[in-house]
Structure formats: structure tokens, C-alpha cells
Amino acid sequence: MKVLMTEYLRIDLDSENWECRVCDHVIGPARGNYKEGLLVYNRDPADIHPSIIDPEKYRFTFCPDREWVNIYEFYCPSCGTQVEVEYTFPNHMPLYDMEVDIDALKEQWSHREEILEPVKGPNILVDRCHTHKH
Amino acid sequence: MNNETNNSALQDQELIEKFLKDTTLFLGPDPEIMRDHRIMPRTPEEEKAMEAFTDLNQIASIRDRLQSACEEGFEMVEQMGAAPGAKWGDIITGIYSASGDLTIGSAGGVLIFSALVHHPIKFIIKNWIDEKTVGVSAGDGFIHNDSRYGNVHNTDQSMILPVFHEGKLVCWVASTVHEGECGAIEPGGMPSMAETSFDEGLKMSPFKVVENYEIKRDLLTFLQNSVREPKLQYEDMKVKLFACMRLEKRIKEVLSTDGPEALTACLRYTNESVVTEVRRRISEWPDMTVRTQTIMDSTLRENALLKVNLAVIKKGDRLIFDFSGTSPELTNRAINTQLPGMKGMVGQAFMNHIWPDLPRGQAGLSPVEFVTQPGTLVDCSYSAPNSQSLMSIFHSFTVAQHACAKFLYSCPDKYTRVLAPWHNMINTFIWGGVNQHGETLGNLCADLNGMGGGARMDRDGEHALSPIFATMADIGEQEMNEEEVPFLQLVSKKMTANTQAPGKYRGGMGYTMIAATKDSEQWGFMTTTQGSKVPTIQGLFGGYAGGSYPLCKVQGVDVYEVLLENPQLFKHSIHEIMNEQPFPDARYTTHHMGMGFDISKRGELYMISQGSGGGYGDPLERDPLYVIMDIEEGLISPEWAKKLYKVEFNETTLVVDNEATEKLRAEYREQRKKQGVPYAEFVKTQVKDHPPENIPFYGAWNGDNEVIYAGSLDDKRDAQNPGPIYVTHPKDVRIAELEAKLAAARKDAGLPPENERK
Ligand SMILES: [Zn+2]
């Protein structure tokens, strides 16, 4: 049985591995840190958050200060999907963000049916597309 | 020991306790009350009532009546309240058990207000009921605002009334309003300049200000003299009192139809069943430890890097929020919070975005456990100022929200959609001075309520939607404001383009505010947010956070003269005004968003923008149609959309070339595989074993939570007992820099050092 853990990650309870939900790539042991099986890139904040006002003229420009923050991007090495993004202190260790108790997870899902599509929960509003006139 | 000596030892102990109680010289904040967020143990009266009343339909019907009473009280305060915060929903009314537990809060408004008032009620129960100089009787009302006795910050004032039935206390009611002005060192109630708790204005521990349902005029006059808005102080005390009296009336109706035991059973049953249900829901989460952090880039006085660190440990039906590794308190900066404020805000995260279907009481948070170190940003000492506690509690909200999303994704039962973090800062103008009618005012614009919503797992975040501390609050009517304040928002409610948090679903964006004073010589503004250098939130599952935002000023211009004489010069966006600099001879500057109170001149511009909620998922998965819709709505420029989302389209017709888009995206995925390096190699080449050398850093580094840095690489402290940290006044820092420069210049010029000159 497989458990959908995030938008892009699942855990195979039988093989005890993290897997990519986009390309089925086996990322690494589920008892460990999935990030260790991914590629990491230290992204320049200016690529994501542009200087809306001229950085030649001004100190604060809407663009985060690269000396003050790093943006770590984590990619699936097989399909290149961006699995996770972490805003962190400059040169800080990436966080071990999901440390799963696999034995407890197995126990929990032994009472559940496998779920192939994530459960969304109750809906609240009409989707934006339905009201938009093209 | 035989029985006799045992008895005499007990008597001695009682005697000692009585002696200590009778001779206590100061009833300060009580850790026993302040450090406990759980509902109280069941009392014998509650036990008896719950045995007598087991009909769940009756209990539900009473609960509904109490809930509508809270809505009625909320409506009264919102309609009649004088504070801007009251008009726009920064209020709440609630009903508390006889032991002081919040059971029902109004659906609208700020739950955390009510969720913290149980502390002052418990203080009143413990200290004033049996105190012969005070006492608690029908018709009494207690006022309170001191965060050290249970509050977010002392700009929020509460009115608390006991409800009696045939001489017996059956429950409590309370109403809280973000009043704004509270007599602090700066106007508006949230001074970022406060360096001690004595700079924060009125500090009201709970005291009796109402007898026989009437406000005591002598105390009122004293309070009015202690704040900048004396009329507002009176008006809102009355409004809160009347709302509480209405709640009391509705409760008495329940007492007359169902009796006091049914009421007691309803209150207790509601809280206990919420605790049971929360434990059941926690059990449904995967057993896991989730770690996250957010970055504070400012103390509101100077830029610095401060960490809010969180590990959430879930095991069985236990859920533990461990804030170890968080920055120590800054003992002379206002951004610290008292422990209950942090807990209340975590509770708010659950009630807003995770389990909004549960009754809005304190029971929802009751089973959750917390680990904090006293003397840290999220658990500060009683002497540290906390008038800008919003900073640390908002970050606490975000780390809680971010961590919980990672637990929720796999759950088969959800009560809301999985959500990326909301924008978490109050990007608004706080203002004060003498208005066009000659009245002294100090308050803020309700634009603080327009925080960008986080993206959900299946849709974009909504723009300028609601504050994280209330799901239903308004951003106010600008025209209404202008009747009372001497400034205009020349640009307002216009979205700030290219500020979105990208993702498969993007975050909800914020709007631009451009303000200029018009009709007063004595008027000023302040802004109190972090995030000018570093985003204050995180994205989710491959989505990004919102960007940063500056404070922009244009001085040396009277824009009202420009509008009269050369109206074509005026532009309606920050980027046009700052980049084109259309007003000749004006000075254009940018600043971080921690602006202390700044006296404004007529027609000078102050420009800010709200922030964006977090994005969700890989931006390469964003539906190209959504990208085009954002371009059509002016939310993003075509060039930037192309760059971020790798979409090919015709710039004139905005028709998407699907094939070219697919190709572009496939190429970019390949590029990622080239630019990304394996984790182990990344850690080896990029990770350092210490914080940056040239930036003051506060908190733990690389997960070693036993040691925390206190502003420099040399200042490492024991995390369990960090001790006080005093930050130098920014002006003294600047003076020292200038004196050093002057000394160097004198030396170069062959002059003796200045202090040796006689
Ligand atoms: Zn993959």
C-alpha cells in the first residue's frame, strides 16, 4: 500500500521508500529524510521576487536581500519536479522536515483503504474559472 | 509519623499558607494561571449538572442560543464601538464557564482575544472573589488589558462580567476590542519604540470598574487621563458593558427556561466533547515530527535575523509544539510575546484553517502540549516589553500552519482544504495626532485586515482577504475614515503587480496604499511590520513565499498642489512614482517597514503594499489559463509571467501556445536537473556551521537547540536560560559610526582628537 504524504511524495509501506508521485522514481528510505534523495539548488531570490522599484536607486525594492535569506529548491532527480522550497538563513542546514514513524504509519493504514487521489475536504466557493468570461 | 503530628504538620502548613497569602505585597502575574492553557478540571457542580442533563438535543439547543447571543453581542460592539478596530471586526464576545473556561466565542471577530480572557477571569476568581476590598457580585464589571495577566497586547481592552443566578455564580461573559490608543510612548496602542513595559501605556490588571451595571466615574476619569483618546475610552467601555449585559440577559433567558444546571451542563459538555473530538482528530494524523522555521528580519527598530523555530511532534493522540531553538527575547525591544499570546495564536491557526467546524472556545487547544524556554521571543519575561508581540505571535501562527499542512495532506478526513501559509504581517498605517476637527486621535487603518490568503491544494489564494487573527473582518470604508482623519489614501485597493507568491496555485496578493496628510499640521504615521529584507512566511510543497516590501517616502512635495496644478504628474502605482520620480525637487527614499512615529508634512507621500500569501506546488504545473488570467487582471506583467511560469503566448492576443509551453517546461525541468546538486554535496559545499558573520543573528543554528546565538558569533548562550539581551539604540549606533568617522577625518587632517580639545 502507498500513502500520499505531500503533493509530490508518497510512501510505499511495503518497500518502505519515499517515491515521486509524478514519475514514480524511488527517492530513498522512508525511515530517512526524503531530501537526501533530491537535488538541491540555492535560488537567487531576484529570480522569483523581482525588484519592482529600481535597485540602482533604492535600498529596499520588493526583492528579498540575498545576503539575508537563501531559497533552497529541492527537485526530483528523475523528472525535475520541484518537490519542496525552503526559505532559510544564509548557509543554514536544510530542515529534516518530515521524520515519519513508519511502524505507526503501517499500523494506521492497516485499518484504512488505500487512497489513490488526495482527499480534498469540503469545498467552499465557486471556482474562479466558472465565473470568468472568455 | 503518627496521626497527631501529621495533623499538626498540616495545620502548620495551612497557617504558613494563610500567612503568606495575607502578607503578599503584590499580586503580580500568576504563572500558575498564565502558563496553563487547558480547560479547568470538572467541578462537583459540573459533575452534578452533567449527571442531571444528558439530553444532547437540549444541550445543543442551549449552545445555539448562547452562540446567537454571542453574535448579537458582536453585532452590538461592531455597530456601536468607536474604535476603528471595533467597526471592522477586531472584536469578540464570549461566554465562559463558572471556572473561567471560554466555551463559546462569536463566529465573527478575533478568537484569540476571547481565548486569552480566561486568564484574567481565573485571576479574578483566585484573588478577588474572597478579597473583602474587592469581591465579585452581580452587576460588577472588570476591565483588563495587561498582557502579563493574559492578553495579546495591551491595546486590546476587555470588559468582564460575572453572571449570577439566585446569588450563585454560574458563568462569565466578556467582550474585547482592539481599542488602539492606550497611552503608550507612541500613539495608536502598539509602540515599537517601547523599551520597557513602562513605555507601553496603560497596564490594567483585572480590576472592578463597574458596579450595579454602572461605570465608576472616578476610575473612568483616571483612565481617560491616561490615554490620547478620552472620549473613545469612555464610549467603548460603555459599548462593551452593554454587549456583556445583553449576553447576561440572553443567559438569564436560558436560566429561566432550562435552569442553571442545564446551562452548566451545556458549557462543560461542550468543552469536554471538543477535547475528546480533538484527540480523535489528532489520532488520525500520521505519527511524525515536522520541522519548520520562519525568519524575522527586523526588531522594528533595526534589521536583524531572528528565528522562530518549531518542531511539531505527533504520537498517538498527543500533539506537541516544541519551540526550542527560537530566538531569545530582546529585553528592550517590543517584539516579544507572553507565552499565552503565542499559544492563543496557534489556537487561532486551528480554529481558522484546520478545524473551523468546532465550537470557538479554548477547548480546541486544550489537548495540545507546548515546549518553550522562558526568556525567549515566544515566552518572554514579565519585564520585557511586548506591545509588538504581533511580530512573534504571527510567526508562531505561520510555523504552526506550515507544519500542520504537512500532517494533514495524507488524512482521509479533512475539515478544510490543505493550505499554504497566509500572509502574516499587518501592512497598514498606524496614525495619530490632531485631526481636522481639532481632536486628538491615535489609531490605525483597517487595511491590516487585508492579508493575502495562502494558496490551497486546488485553487489560488484570495487577495487581501482577511487577517490571520480573524476569518471575518473588514478592511473599512475609506470615505468614512476620511471624515475623521486628516489624510487621504490617494491610491488604495489597487493590487500591487508582480508581488505574487508563485506556485501551481499562487498566493492571494495584496494592494497598494499611498497616503498623504492634508488637513493637519500635527499628524504622523508609523508602520510596524517585518519582511522588508526577508519574506515572513513559507510556501508549501514546492510553492514559494510572497516577496518582500519596502516603505517608500516622497518628501519635499505637496501632492495636493500637484493635483491642482499638474494633475498629469501624479501616478497611481509605487513603481511609477519611485522609478519615474515625476515630482521635480522631491526626495524619494525607501525604508524597512518598522517606521517609528513620523510627523508628516502636507502632501508628502507614504507608500506601502500588503503582502502575498504563500504559493502551493511547482510553478511549472500552473495552468497556463490561470497565468493569462493574472495578466489580464494586471496582477503580473507578461514578461514576468513568462519567466516564472515558462508559458508561451501571443502578447497581443494572449492566446497560449500549448505545445511551445510544454516544450519550454520540459526544457526547464532538464535545466533544474543540471543546476541542482545531490543533497550530500550541497550540504558539504553550501552549509556553514555558524550563522552569518556580519548580520546580528538570534536563535539556534543547524538544529543544535541547546545553544543559542545572541546577536554575534561570540555571544553564545545556554538555551534553557538565555538571560537578558539589550540592543543598542539605533541612534547611538549611528552616533558611534559618525564619531568614528569624525575621529578618522580629524586624524587625517592632523587635528587632535575632539575630546582632548579644550
Ligand atoms: Zn519525479
Side-chain angles (χ1 to χ4, degrees):
Chain A
M1 188 192 278
K2 298 183 182 196
V3 182
L4 309 180
M5 296 300 289
T6 82
E7 182 74 12
Y8 301 114
L9 295 171
R10 65 174 177 243
I11 286 176
D12 184 328
L13 292 178
D14 305 313
S15 68
E16 297 194 0
N17 279 320
W18 287 101
E19 295 177 355
C20 172
R21 287 179 57 199
V22 179
C23 72
D24 300 334
H25 172 73
V26 174
I27 290 167
R31 291 179 192 272
N33 180 355
Y34 69 84
K35 286 180 180 171
E36 292 178 13
L38 300 178
L39 302 175
V40 198
Y41 180 61
N42 196 347
R43 166 70 68 186
D44 184 347
D47 293 342
I48 308 300
H49 308 291
S51 285
I52 290 168
I53 55 177
D54 189 352
E56 300 292 317
K57 292 195 180 99
Y58 303 110
R59 194 161 153 227
F60 298 93
T61 67
F62 286 91
C63 176
D65 186 334
R66 197 179 186 175
E67 303 292 309
W68 285 59
V69 61
N70 282 175
I71 303 175
Y72 295 168
E73 296 178 349
F74 298 88
Y75 311 134
C76 170
S78 161
C79 67
T81 295
Q82 182 161 292
V83 172
E84 183 68 21
V85 170
E86 189 179 322
Y87 286 68
T88 192
F89 299 90
N91 306 107
H92 194 278
M93 183 73 132
L95 295 180
Y96 184 2
D97 66 329
M98 293 171 79
E99 186 177 352
V100 186
D101 181 337
I102 295 300
D103 298 322
L105 196 67
K106 283 181 172 177
E107 213 291 313
Q108 187 172 49
W109 282 86
S110 68
H111 310 290
R112 290 176 179 168
E113 294 283 312
E114 182 162 8
I115 292 175
L116 299 173
E117 280 304 311
V119 176
K120 288 180 175 172
N123 201 6
I124 304 158
L125 285 168
V126 179
D127 198 281
R128 183 182 174 207
C129 269
H130 296 165
T131 56
H132 192 82
K133 307 271 188 300
H134 263 284
Chain B
M1 228 191 305
N2 63 31
N3 266 350
E4 209 166 295
T5 50
N6 207 351
N7 270 344
S8 100
L10 260 178
Q11 279 167 2
D12 285 353
Q13 185 61 29
E14 272 171 26
L15 212 63
I16 289 168
E17 273 170 20
K18 187 176 182 311
F19 173 78
L20 286 175
K21 201 175 169 206
D22 291 348
T23 53
T24 298
L25 294 179
F26 174 49
L27 288 171
D30 187 339
E32 191 181 280
I33 294 171
M34 287 292 288
R35 301 194 73 82
D36 196 349
H37 63 285
R38 295 168 301 177
I39 60 169
M40 298 295 277
R42 206 191 270 186
T43 62
E45 289 79 18
E46 287 168 337
E47 186 86 46
K48 205 166 136 241
M50 288 174 82
E51 273 167 25
F53 288 88
T54 52
D55 179 355
L56 292 186
N57 288 328
Q58 186 186 10
I59 285 171
S61 123
I62 295 173
R63 185 165 58 232
D64 286 352
R65 287 167 73 184
L66 298 178
Q67 183 71 55
S68 41
C70 288
E71 306 317 328
E72 193 180 352
F74 176 90
E75 196 74 14
M76 285 174 71
V77 180
E78 193 174 45
Q79 295 298 326
M80 302 191 303
K87 286 177 195 149
W88 302 314
D90 288 357
I91 56 174
I92 199 159
T93 55
I95 298 172
Y96 301 73
S97 72
S99 311
D101 296 330
L102 174 68
T103 310
I104 296 163
S106 54
V110 184
L111 181 66
I112 184 176
F113 291 172
S114 278
L116 297 184
V117 172
H118 76 100
H119 297 294
I121 293 178
K122 286 166 188 172
F123 181 91
I124 295 168
I125 292 170
K126 186 170 174 178
N127 296 294
W128 296 157
I129 285 182
D130 293 332
E131 168 59 49
K132 65 176 191 294
T133 62
V134 188
V136 175
S137 314
D140 286 350
F142 293 81
I143 196 169
H144 163 257
N145 81 331
D146 189 339
S147 57
R148 297 169 302 180
Y149 293 77
N151 197 2
V152 175
H153 45 197
N154 65 337
T155 187
D156 304 331
Q157 296 188 22
S158 296
M159 182 65 78
I160 299 166
L161 260 65
V163 179
F164 284 84
H165 179 73
E166 293 173 356
K168 199 163 180 296
L169 179 69
V170 288
C171 67
W172 300 79
V173 296
S175 170
T176 307
V177 174
H178 179 112
E179 292 294 354
E181 181 45 36
C182 63
I185 188 170
E186 292 171 294
M190 298 189 289
S192 42
M193 295 293 281
E195 295 208 357
T196 76
S197 59
F198 301 102
D199 297 330
E200 298 180 307
L202 264 180
K203 288 275 186 190
M204 299 186 283
S205 51
F207 65 87
K208 196 189 291 185
V209 72
V210 171
E211 270 174 357
N212 297 318
Y213 303 103
E214 282 186 297
I215 294 169
K216 288 160 71 75
R217 203 71 201 235
D218 53 347
L219 289 175
L220 171 69
T221 305
F222 160 70
L223 295 176
Q224 288 177 298
N225 272 302
S226 308
V227 298
R228 294 176 181 82
E229 297 201 32
K231 284 190 280 190
L232 179 139
Q233 182 65 33
Y234 184 27
E235 200 170 343
D236 279 2
M237 279 171 69
K238 278 204 292 194
V239 167
K240 281 176 285 192
L241 173 61
F242 292 151
C244 286
M245 286 164 65
R246 182 64 61 88
L247 283 174
E248 186 195 41
K249 182 166 183 263
R250 298 295 176 226
I251 289 166
K252 289 199 160 159
E253 286 165 10
V254 169
L255 292 170
S256 68
T257 54
D258 296 70
E261 278 198 324
L263 174 77
T264 301
C266 169
L267 296 177
R268 187 67 198 178
Y269 180 84
T270 299
N271 273 348
E272 287 192 9
S273 56
V274 168
V275 169
T276 307
E277 174 62 5
V278 164
R279 286 211 181 275
R280 189 193 68 77
R281 291 185 183 190
I282 292 171
S283 305
E284 296 290 302
W285 293 13
D287 279 18
M288 177 160 76
T289 298
V290 171
R291 297 181 184 85
T292 183
Q293 63 188 9
T294 50
I295 304 171
M296 290 189 178
D297 65 1
S298 160
T299 69
L300 299 181
R301 301 285 299 284
E302 56 272 294
N303 285 115
L305 282 173
L306 302 102
K307 179 186 280 195
V308 174
N309 202 39
L310 176 65
V312 179
I313 302 132
K314 185 267 165 183
K315 205 168 171 49
D317 66 354
R318 289 182 69 194
L319 188 63
I320 303 158
F321 279 68
D322 183 346
F323 280 86
S324 299
T326 294
S327 163
E329 79 176 32
L330 300 186
T331 315
N332 62 346
R333 290 293 178 266
I335 59 173
N336 312 290
T337 185
Q338 291 290 329
L339 178 63
M342 179 276 278
K343 289 179 179 176
M345 207 61 198
V346 171
Q348 187 89 43
F350 278 100
M351 290 293 139
N352 279 10
H353 296 307
I354 297 170
W355 299 321
D357 57 319
L358 294 178
R360 279 162 59 89
Q362 77 183 83
L365 194 68
S366 192
V368 176
E369 300 163 57
F370 289 85
V371 177
T372 58
Q373 284 72 40
T376 55
L377 268 192
V378 293
D379 184 2
C380 74
S381 62
Y382 291 130
S383 57
N386 56 63
S387 43
Q388 276 294 344
S389 63
L390 294 186
M391 298 303 116
S392 37
I393 71 171
F394 287 171
H395 280 266
S396 306
F397 179 99
T398 300
V399 288
Q401 184 174 42
H402 189 233
C404 288
K406 292 184 175 178
F407 284 100
L408 291 170
Y409 192 88
S410 69
C411 292
D413 289 316
K414 294 186 178 70
Y415 304 89
T416 50
R417 301 270 150 133
V418 172
L419 178 78
W422 217 256
H423 180 61
N424 64 357
M425 286 283 137
I426 49 165
N427 301 35
T428 193
F429 289 112
I430 301 174
W431 39 253
V434 179
N435 74 357
Q436 62 269 43
H437 313 300
E439 287 170 319
T440 302
L441 301 180
N443 231 299
L444 48 70
C445 292
D447 301 290
L448 87 164
N449 287 345
M451 297 181 185
R456 297 172 211 173
M457 67 192 292
D458 60 344
R459 57 176 290 148
D460 288 344
E462 289 172 78
H463 306 311
L465 183 60
S466 70
I468 53 174
F469 45 81
T471 47
M472 285 184 270
D474 198 349
I475 49 176
E477 292 294 336
Q478 189 52 35
E479 287 71 20
M480 230 171 96
N481 303 345
E482 286 166 4
E483 287 179 15
E484 287 170 20
V485 294
F487 70 90
L488 303 184
Q489 279 201 20
L490 296 167
V491 175
S492 182
K493 281 85 174 174
K494 182 185 175 187
M495 309 313 294
T496 314
N498 289 343
T499 56
Q500 64 184 240
K504 176 180 178 180
Y505 299 103
R506 57 137 178 79
M509 295 164 63
Y511 58 76
T512 295
M513 293 152 270
I514 301 183
T517 298
K518 186 167 167 284
D519 302 313
S520 173
E521 301 283 303
Q522 291 170 269
W523 195 258
F525 299 100
M526 59 187 275
T527 57
T528 61
T529 83
Q530 299 165 329
S532 294
K533 291 173 90 68
V534 180
T536 54
I537 59 170
Q538 299 276 357
L540 189 64
F541 301 152
Y544 295 94
S548 307
Y549 32 71
L551 161 72
C552 301
K553 285 194 213 175
V554 185
Q555 291 164 299
V557 63
D558 182 344
V559 77
Y560 296 108
E561 293 301 313
V562 173
L563 287 169
L564 273 177
E565 285 157 23
N566 294 302
Q568 74 284 358
L569 287 184
F570 189 76
K571 307 289 178 199
H572 290 81
S573 70
I574 294 175
H575 74 90
E576 288 167 293
I577 291 173
M578 295 302 280
N579 291 345
E580 296 172 19
Q581 302 194 343
F583 318 119
D585 306 323
R587 288 187 311 285
Y588 301 79
T589 54
T590 64
H591 311 263
H592 70 76
M593 287 279 289
M595 171 176 70
F597 187 68
D598 195 39
I599 296 286
S600 60
K601 287 212 177 73
R602 180 185 149 100
E604 293 188 338
L605 301 181
Y606 292 79
M607 309 191 284
I608 59 174
S609 172
Q610 294 164 337
S612 171
Y616 181 102
D618 183 349
L620 289 192
E621 293 192 354
R622 183 162 179 75
D623 187 336
L625 176 69
Y626 279 47
V627 176
I628 300 301
M629 280 162 58
D630 281 354
I631 295 172
E632 287 177 324
E633 291 174 12
L635 301 175
I636 191 167
S637 64
E639 316 76 63
W640 194 248
K642 219 171 241 186
K643 188 170 181 233
L644 270 182
Y645 294 109
K646 314 296 176 206
V647 179
E648 278 295 349
F649 53 88
N650 180 310
E651 287 210 16
T652 319
T653 63
L654 295 183
V655 172
V656 175
D657 182 338
N658 284 317
E659 213 169 296
T661 300
E662 294 271 308
K663 187 164 167 283
L664 204 60
R665 289 181 167 186
E667 282 167 8
Y668 195 68
R669 288 193 175 93
E670 288 306 311
Q671 189 187 319
R672 280 177 176 168
K673 283 153 72 176
K674 289 193 195 89
Q675 73 199 17
V677 299
Y679 182 89
E681 188 189 328
F682 182 85
V683 169
K684 215 159 124 190
T685 56
Q686 299 270 338
V687 172
K688 290 188 180 162
D689 62 3
H690 57 79
E693 281 102 349
N694 304 321
I695 301 171
F697 172 85
Y698 299 88
W701 189 256
N702 285 355
D704 175 7
N705 292 342
E706 291 306 308
V707 176
I708 48 174
Y709 287 87
S712 80
L713 292 189
D714 311 323
D715 194 351
K716 288 198 253 184
R717 302 192 184 187
D718 173 8
Q720 297 302 325
N721 187 20
I725 294 169
Y726 290 95
V727 183
T728 311
H729 194 299
K731 277 187 179 154
D732 290 335
V733 173
R734 187 72 185 134
I735 288 169
E737 282 168 6
L738 294 173
E739 280 182 342
K741 273 189 191 168
L742 181 63
R746 290 185 71 91
K747 197 175 169 197
D748 288 349
L751 293 168
E754 195 176 31
N755 57 0
E756 284 179 24
R757 203 167 41 134
K758 285 276 174 314

